[in-house]
Amino acid sequence: MGSGFSFIFIPLFFYVTLAVLLCVKIAEKNSWKMGLVFATALIFLPAGVLTIASMYEAGAL
């Protein structure tokens, strides 16, 4: 794997780790449902946007 792998996935790993910790902290203070709402917004929404953007750039859309 080239340098692109580390350039993308190492910051992504840190982002997801911090987002999960934040969502767990929110879930402990409020409820697990609120933690899931924040997890959806913080993790899955950016992943979906990046996926669609990369598909658009590759010409698949």
Side-chain angles (χ1 to χ4, degrees):
M1 308 242 172
S3 63
F5 179 80
S6 61
F7 183 72
I8 296 296
F9 287 107
I10 290 175
L12 185 64
F13 172 76
F14 287 124
Y15 172 76
V16 170
T17 303
L18 292 175
V20 166
L21 291 174
L22 175 66
C23 294
V24 168
K25 188 173 183 175
I26 289 171
E28 288 175 352
K29 296 215 180 254
N30 294 312
S31 68
W32 281 101
K33 290 180 183 179
M34 184 62 79
L36 287 174
V37 168
F38 271 84
T40 302
L42 288 174
I43 296 171
F44 297 117
L45 185 64
V49 168
L50 288 174
T51 302
I52 291 173
S54 63
M55 289 175 65
Y56 181 77
E57 184 69 25
L61 291 178

